[in-house]
Amino acid sequence: MSLDAILSRIDADLPQATERLLDLLRIPSISTDPAYKAECERAADWLVADLRALGVAAEKRATPGHPMVVGHVDGDGPHLLLYGHYDVQPVDPIELWDRDPFDPEVQDTAKGTVIRGRGAADDKGQLMTFVEACRAWKAETGRLPCKLTFFLEGEEESGSPSLVPFMTENADELKADLALICDTGLFDSRVPAITTMLRGLLGEELTITAPSRDLHSGMYGGIAMNPVRVLSKIIASLHDETGRVTVPGFYDGVPELPDELRQQWQGLAFDHARFLGDVGLSTPAGEQDRTPLEMIWARPTCEVNGIWGGYTGAGFKTVLPSQAHAKISFRLVGSQDPLAIRESFRKMVTEMLPPDCEVEFKGHGASTAGAFDTSDPAFEAARQALSQEWPDPAAYIGCGGSIPIAGHFARITETTPMLIGFGKDDDQLHSPNEKYDMESFHKGIRSWARVLDALTRAA
Ligand code: BES
Ligand code: ZN
């Protein structure tokens, strides 16, 4: 078998691969919104059919939520599992999209050719990079590179409620030598990356109720407790003036960056002025004594993701609201314990409540951070393979986002996760006008062919 021949086939097949991706992007598989349940099923069916076309024994597997797609193919060499997610984020605010998010298209822009549409980068475009690499492999050699398991999820963007039960029930089936996860990014457009650190995530929603109904703010203003005021004060107190989070015990389990990693990251020459400049900002806003890369990859955060209450419609209404709401998330690092932080946060909020106020909490996802061992020689083999494809050598990097399944592989199926992806910082994940660069897609497919080749040879 010749890797060059597979790479040439990938180049020649790029237009068709792009059409297939556009087809998948047309399915609005928004996992968090029950109105799109049938669309999630449709995306799973699409993938089952596509994998079957590759000779993979693939099935849609029911869960209490959206289905998993699981496929197996036998072969020699290492057993590799390929994970991606076919669900996408909601599209709002829809008015900020330049086109229908589910009518994707290839666009030529000043910064190159992009595939525009919801899910292009997160994660349909990425998961199709390894499917397409497998397709080219099969077309060229008549078989797939080694023993493979495909595991594609449909609830990643909504906290993966069915994932742990499914992985626990099917632990033997989902065990492999390595779990390749394609849901992360490049370091920059020259430097490919293997992500070795992910932050954990804790979501909390709170509702503060004061008066039993909305009131006229003239009739009651001044004498009645206003829950929006109470909530604002609580939110304002979650950080001190140096940017540290004030929830008691929050920093328990937060490690200092090891010197080796600090040096490695210094070598990456992260241009924070450009990173912030791209989104109209200039000044790092995290803990004052931390470097910009530490702020994103190695420090925990507390962010308000949404806050509402009272009258927010057109015009003006003199209302003193009965309720105020907020959604708050914490990114976690090291061995921070999400459940202990949840408890401490709730206690802190409850203790801050003035008379006549009540608070109700709703917990969203809770996942710990992950730091993955790279001592397996497969990592160096994969790093070298990636370095062949991109202008500069591949780096081991951190990621500010959360991919809880990486930790589940390590814990539940004792499978080492290896996170490789080709997204870029300006892909607008979770935002309007999401895109995936054609370069990410094309070189991503080529990268997987090289990595699969390296991993099957290394074994
Ligand atoms: N693909 C992202 C994770 C990611 C974010 C990778 C940024 C690289 C850069 C993933 O789909 C995601 O968005 N995860 C959620 C967590 C999930 C539990 C809702 C996140 O990080 O907010
Ligand atoms: Zn994702």
Side-chain angles (χ1 to χ4, degrees), residues 57-71:
E59 284 181 325
K60 192 167 73 164
R61 303 268 286 266
T63 75
H66 303 302
M68 307 280 176
V69 173
V70 181

PDB file of all heavy atoms in Angstrom, residues 57-71:
ATOM      1  N   ALA A  57     -19.620  -2.301   9.650  1.00  0.00           N
ATOM      2  CA  ALA A  57     -20.880  -2.790  10.215  1.00  0.00           C
ATOM      3  C   ALA A  57     -21.371  -1.726  11.197  1.00  0.00           C
ATOM      4  O   ALA A  57     -20.983  -1.719  12.360  1.00  0.00           O
ATOM      5  CB  ALA A  57     -20.648  -4.116  10.920  1.00  0.00           C
ATOM      6  N   ALA A  58     -22.180  -0.805  10.683  1.00  0.00           N
ATOM      7  CA  ALA A  58     -22.600   0.338  11.497  1.00  0.00           C
ATOM      8  C   ALA A  58     -24.077   0.252  11.835  1.00  0.00           C
ATOM      9  O   ALA A  58     -24.877  -0.258  11.057  1.00  0.00           O
ATOM     10  CB  ALA A  58     -22.327   1.634  10.738  1.00  0.00           C
ATOM     11  N   GLU A  59     -24.405   0.751  13.006  1.00  0.00           N
ATOM     12  CA  GLU A  59     -25.794   0.732  13.466  1.00  0.00           C
ATOM     13  C   GLU A  59     -26.105   1.989  14.230  1.00  0.00           C
ATOM     14  O   GLU A  59     -25.221   2.560  14.874  1.00  0.00           O
ATOM     15  CB  GLU A  59     -25.977  -0.394  14.491  1.00  0.00           C
ATOM     16  CG  GLU A  59     -26.038  -1.761  13.957  1.00  0.00           C
ATOM     17  CD  GLU A  59     -26.244  -2.742  15.108  1.00  0.00           C
ATOM     18  OE1 GLU A  59     -25.707  -2.508  16.212  1.00  0.00           O
ATOM     19  OE2 GLU A  59     -26.960  -3.716  14.890  1.00  0.00           O
ATOM     20  N   LYS A  60     -27.397   2.336  14.192  1.00  0.00           N
ATOM     21  CA  LYS A  60     -27.890   3.400  15.049  1.00  0.00           C
ATOM     22  C   LYS A  60     -28.296   2.724  16.346  1.00  0.00           C
ATOM     23  O   LYS A  60     -29.031   1.744  16.314  1.00  0.00           O
ATOM     24  CB  LYS A  60     -29.084   4.041  14.358  1.00  0.00           C
ATOM     25  CG  LYS A  60     -29.533   5.311  14.967  1.00  0.00           C
ATOM     26  CD  LYS A  60     -30.492   6.036  14.036  1.00  0.00           C
ATOM     27  CE  LYS A  60     -31.851   5.349  13.982  1.00  0.00           C
ATOM     28  NZ  LYS A  60     -32.901   6.206  13.408  1.00  0.00           N
ATOM     29  N   ARG A  61     -27.814   3.214  17.446  1.00  0.00           N
ATOM     30  CA  ARG A  61     -28.119   2.564  18.720  1.00  0.00           C
ATOM     31  C   ARG A  61     -28.921   3.531  19.586  1.00  0.00           C
ATOM     32  O   ARG A  61     -28.460   4.639  19.889  1.00  0.00           O
ATOM     33  CB  ARG A  61     -26.817   2.182  19.410  1.00  0.00           C
ATOM     34  CG  ARG A  61     -25.939   1.275  18.536  1.00  0.00           C
ATOM     35  CD  ARG A  61     -26.208  -0.176  18.785  1.00  0.00           C
ATOM     36  NE  ARG A  61     -25.634  -0.557  20.043  1.00  0.00           N
ATOM     37  CZ  ARG A  61     -24.430  -1.084  20.202  1.00  0.00           C
ATOM     38  NH1 ARG A  61     -23.665  -1.341  19.144  1.00  0.00           N
ATOM     39  NH2 ARG A  61     -23.984  -1.403  21.381  1.00  0.00           N
ATOM     40  N   ALA A  62     -30.109   3.077  19.976  1.00  0.00           N
ATOM     41  CA  ALA A  62     -31.013   3.956  20.725  1.00  0.00           C
ATOM     42  C   ALA A  62     -30.472   4.234  22.123  1.00  0.00           C
ATOM     43  O   ALA A  62     -29.798   3.406  22.736  1.00  0.00           O
ATOM     44  CB  ALA A  62     -32.385   3.294  20.820  1.00  0.00           C
ATOM     45  N   THR A  63     -30.759   5.429  22.611  1.00  0.00           N
ATOM     46  CA  THR A  63     -30.498   5.794  24.010  1.00  0.00           C
ATOM     47  C   THR A  63     -31.759   6.516  24.490  1.00  0.00           C
ATOM     48  O   THR A  63     -32.629   6.820  23.669  1.00  0.00           O
ATOM     49  CB  THR A  63     -29.304   6.772  24.130  1.00  0.00           C
ATOM     50  OG1 THR A  63     -29.739   8.067  23.714  1.00  0.00           O
ATOM     51  CG2 THR A  63     -28.097   6.334  23.304  1.00  0.00           C
ATOM     52  N   PRO A  64     -31.860   6.846  25.752  1.00  0.00           N
ATOM     53  CA  PRO A  64     -33.022   7.641  26.173  1.00  0.00           C
ATOM     54  C   PRO A  64     -33.048   9.013  25.478  1.00  0.00           C
ATOM     55  O   PRO A  64     -34.089   9.657  25.388  1.00  0.00           O
ATOM     56  CB  PRO A  64     -32.804   7.808  27.680  1.00  0.00           C
ATOM     57  CG  PRO A  64     -31.897   6.678  28.065  1.00  0.00           C
ATOM     58  CD  PRO A  64     -31.015   6.433  26.875  1.00  0.00           C
ATOM     59  N   GLY A  65     -31.911   9.459  24.970  1.00  0.00           N
ATOM     60  CA  GLY A  65     -31.858  10.733  24.246  1.00  0.00           C
ATOM     61  C   GLY A  65     -31.666  10.477  22.757  1.00  0.00           C
ATOM     62  O   GLY A  65     -32.372   9.674  22.160  1.00  0.00           O
ATOM     63  N   HIS A  66     -30.709  11.136  22.156  1.00  0.00           N
ATOM     64  CA  HIS A  66     -30.448  10.935  20.726  1.00  0.00           C
ATOM     65  C   HIS A  66     -29.570   9.697  20.530  1.00  0.00           C
ATOM     66  O   HIS A  66     -28.784   9.342  21.405  1.00  0.00           O
ATOM     67  CB  HIS A  66     -29.785  12.176  20.136  1.00  0.00           C
ATOM     68  CG  HIS A  66     -30.593  13.416  20.341  1.00  0.00           C
ATOM     69  ND1 HIS A  66     -31.881  13.540  19.871  1.00  0.00           N
ATOM     70  CD2 HIS A  66     -30.313  14.579  20.991  1.00  0.00           C
ATOM     71  CE1 HIS A  66     -32.353  14.723  20.221  1.00  0.00           C
ATOM     72  NE2 HIS A  66     -31.430  15.373  20.910  1.00  0.00           N
ATOM     73  N   PRO A  67     -29.713   9.047  19.366  1.00  0.00           N
ATOM     74  CA  PRO A  67     -28.984   7.783  19.170  1.00  0.00           C
ATOM     75  C   PRO A  67     -27.472   7.961  19.020  1.00  0.00           C
ATOM     76  O   PRO A  67     -27.000   9.017  18.618  1.00  0.00           O
ATOM     77  CB  PRO A  67     -29.574   7.235  17.868  1.00  0.00           C
ATOM     78  CG  PRO A  67     -30.154   8.405  17.170  1.00  0.00           C
ATOM     79  CD  PRO A  67     -30.568   9.383  18.221  1.00  0.00           C
ATOM     80  N   MET A  68     -26.763   6.888  19.347  1.00  0.00           N
ATOM     81  CA  MET A  68     -25.339   6.806  19.053  1.00  0.00           C
ATOM     82  C   MET A  68     -25.203   6.079  17.720  1.00  0.00           C
ATOM     83  O   MET A  68     -26.042   5.232  17.392  1.00  0.00           O
ATOM     84  CB  MET A  68     -24.612   5.952  20.104  1.00  0.00           C
ATOM     85  CG  MET A  68     -24.842   6.364  21.528  1.00  0.00           C
ATOM     86  SD  MET A  68     -23.815   7.759  21.936  1.00  0.00           S
ATOM     87  CE  MET A  68     -24.390   8.102  23.604  1.00  0.00           C
ATOM     88  N   VAL A  69     -24.146   6.359  17.014  1.00  0.00           N
ATOM     89  CA  VAL A  69     -23.813   5.560  15.838  1.00  0.00           C
ATOM     90  C   VAL A  69     -22.551   4.787  16.190  1.00  0.00           C
ATOM     91  O   VAL A  69     -21.543   5.383  16.591  1.00  0.00           O
ATOM     92  CB  VAL A  69     -23.568   6.462  14.605  1.00  0.00           C
ATOM     93  CG1 VAL A  69     -23.046   5.636  13.442  1.00  0.00           C
ATOM     94  CG2 VAL A  69     -24.855   7.188  14.225  1.00  0.00           C
ATOM     95  N   VAL A  70     -22.651   3.461  16.092  1.00  0.00           N
ATOM     96  CA  VAL A  70     -21.488   2.626  16.407  1.00  0.00           C
ATOM     97  C   VAL A  70     -21.232   1.710  15.212  1.00  0.00           C
ATOM     98  O   VAL A  70     -22.160   1.113  14.674  1.00  0.00           O
ATOM     99  CB  VAL A  70     -21.729   1.774  17.679  1.00  0.00           C
ATOM    100  CG1 VAL A  70     -20.495   0.942  18.002  1.00  0.00           C
ATOM    101  CG2 VAL A  70     -22.089   2.658  18.859  1.00  0.00           C
ATOM    102  N   GLY A  71     -19.990   1.645  14.799  1.00  0.00           N
ATOM    103  CA  GLY A  71     -19.647   0.771  13.673  1.00  0.00           C
ATOM    104  C   GLY A  71     -18.319   0.085  13.916  1.00  0.00           C
ATOM    105  O   GLY A  71     -17.444   0.653  14.573  1.00  0.00           O
TER     106      GLY A  71
END
